[in-house]
Amino acid sequence: MPVRTGVIGVGLMGAEHARLLTDAVSGSEVAAVFDVDPERAEAVAAASGARVFDDPMVLIKDDSIDAVLIASADKTHEQFVLACLAAGKPVLCEKPLTPDVAGSIRIVAAEVELGRRLVTVGFMRRYDPGYADLKAALRSGDLGQALLLRCVHRNAASVPVPSAVLISGSAVHEIDIARWLLDEELVSVTVHCPRRSSNSGDTQDPMLLVFASASGVLVDVEVFLNAGYGYDVRCELVAESGTVLLDSPAPTVRRAAGSLARAVPGDWRQRFTEAYRRELQDWVDAVAAGEPPRGASAWDGYAATVMADAGIRALDTGRTQDAVPRDQPALYR
Ligand code: ISE
């Protein structure tokens, strides 16, 4: 029996998840779809033969649905994740888990109360082969201790957004991947604001964030939403006896008209397709086996939200901010 998934929210990302669950993940079926835009829901449902629901809470409770994927607006995540926990259903929620710290605390508390892990947060980079290589290099011990992590996060273009979205929507990936790579918490953040791009309206774009980890590693992150030329994510680990660079991967190099070129992906769906596919396959496999999920947990989602929140305070105040997460409950250790 395939795992029958209900997808809530089928905008850009939800539609991509539905496509991957249908075409690229084995043992899975998109059985139900909800979206605030019924036409969008119909279009995605038609491609997978799914049923369209007009109430997401009814979809979550429906006996024919084994697991739920949430890719709706950030502010709706909490109510849907809590409803999945109440229904005892595994749920994969797109990042951020919630836009606010209080919402993430309520989700963690509900899962701890339930006593078993059902929530996964869509920090898909943990499944990217390049980041896995970086982590393996650090773990091998051959490079000595990590000293710096230098990250670049550029989007080709963005609709106008408040400056805080560079942190809550984009840098939040860097926060999660730094915690995962270094295997420790980030404890403080400073935000530097260079000249704004004339392509970015009133938004502080680009932005430079510097995080410190508990053991003293510095993580610098450039976020630039209107970089113009494409989607570019890089990460260089600087350690005591060497460095490892994760560059924008392109399978081919083109030589033509006197130049040498590698294509740059248009957006994150192209850059991270394999990571999304692996994340979904792993999730579906765990659901099918009745095992706890292996991706980022509700606790990881909470920790990322705490740090993003500190980043937004640092942006607003111009001062370094500490992030102080609560004690980690035993369920997540
Ligand atoms: C977008 O919302 C995402 O989630 C992407 O993964 C991120 O890289 C991008 O910067 C965001 O705008």
Side-chain angles (χ1 to χ4, degrees), residues 95 124 153 155 169-170 173 231 268:
K95 50 59 58 174
M124 77 299 180
H153 186 143
N155 286 12
S170 299
H173 279 292
Y231 183 73
W268 54 93

Side-chain angles (χ1 to χ4, degrees), residues 2 14 17 25-26 39 54 77 83 89 155-156 206 210 233 277 287 303:
H17 281 307
V25 171
S26 61
E39 278 178 24
D54 56 15
H77 289 181
K89 295 204 176 160
N155 286 12
V210 182
V233 165
R277 193 196 63 73
V287 172

Side-chain angles (χ1 to χ4, degrees), residues 11-326:
L12 220 53
M13 208 51 242
E16 178 68 357
H17 281 307
R19 184 187 73 77
L20 289 169
L21 281 169
T22 307
D23 297 342
V25 171
S26 61
S28 117
E29 169 187 311
V30 175
V33 171
F34 167 81
D35 195 275
V36 282
D37 176 350
E39 278 178 24
R40 205 155 66 174
E42 290 290 351
V44 171
S48 57
R51 209 171 127 195
V52 174
F53 280 69
D54 56 15
D55 183 340
M57 293 301 187
V58 174
L59 179 157
I60 290 170
K61 286 188 211 137
D62 196 285
D63 284 342
S64 70
I65 301 305
D66 303 315
V68 179
L69 190 149
I70 298 172
S72 48
D74 298 353
K75 63 179 190 309
T76 65
H77 289 181
E78 181 186 347
Q79 51 171 321
F80 296 147
V81 172
L82 290 175
C84 290
L85 288 172
K89 295 204 176 160
V91 52
L92 172 56
C93 180
E94 257 304 326
K95 50 59 58 174
L97 178 58
T98 60
D100 59 323
V101 175
S104 292
I105 289 176
R106 287 190 284 271
I107 289 175
V108 166
E111 199 173 39
V112 168
E113 170 79 22
L114 190 68
R116 63 192 172 108
R117 285 193 42 206
L118 288 176
V119 180
T120 305
V121 181
F123 284 125
M124 77 299 180
R125 288 183 180 192
R126 294 175 175 222
Y127 290 89
D128 179 69
Y131 280 109
D133 260 14
L134 271 180
K135 188 165 170 103
L138 193 55
R139 272 205 174 151
S140 73
D142 296 346
L143 301 175
Q145 293 202 316
L147 306 172
L148 298 167
L149 207 55
R150 328 259 352 240
C151 311
V152 170
H153 186 143
R154 298 186 188 139
N155 286 12
S158 163
V159 292
V161 289
S163 302
V165 171
L166 273 76
I167 302 174
S168 61
S170 299
V172 72
H173 279 292
E174 310 294 338
I175 294 170
D176 180 68
I177 209 66
R179 291 180 66 245
W180 181 78
L181 281 172
L182 300 173
D183 210 9
E184 60 172 334
E185 290 301 336
L186 303 180
V187 293
S188 71
V189 54
T190 312
V191 176
H192 300 274
C193 298
R195 170 185 294 148
R196 296 174 185 197
S197 164
S198 55
N199 298 319
S200 302
D202 290 337
T203 308
Q204 177 56 57
D205 185 41
M207 197 184 279
L208 190 72
L209 300 96
V210 182
F211 300 92
S213 79
S215 75
V217 179
L218 285 189
V219 180
D220 67 285
V221 176
E222 173 206 311
V223 182
F224 190 6
L225 287 193
N226 288 288
Y229 64 88
Y231 183 73
D232 195 1
V233 165
R234 297 182 226 159
C235 179
E236 184 175 24
L237 165 71
V238 180
E240 288 169 313
S241 352
T243 71
V244 190
L245 173 66
L246 168 64
D247 206 346
S248 251
T252 52
V253 176
R254 180 189 170 110
R255 292 170 171 82
S259 75
L260 187 81
R262 283 203 292 164
V264 180
D267 72 20
W268 54 93
R269 290 169 302 170
Q270 293 159 29
R271 166 62 183 85
F272 286 111
T273 307
E274 181 55 13
Y276 283 119
R277 193 196 63 73
R278 289 183 186 201
E279 172 188 58
L280 291 170
Q281 187 67 66
D282 197 37
W283 181 62
V284 162
D285 290 348
V287 172
E291 289 168 3
R294 295 170 280 257
S297 66
W299 179 261
D300 295 316
Y302 158 73
T305 303
V306 168
M307 191 31 107
D309 190 61
I312 294 167
R313 273 187 280 121
L315 172 68
D316 290 344
T317 60
R319 286 199 303 273
T320 300
Q321 299 290 320
D322 293 334
V324 191
R326 305 180 153 205

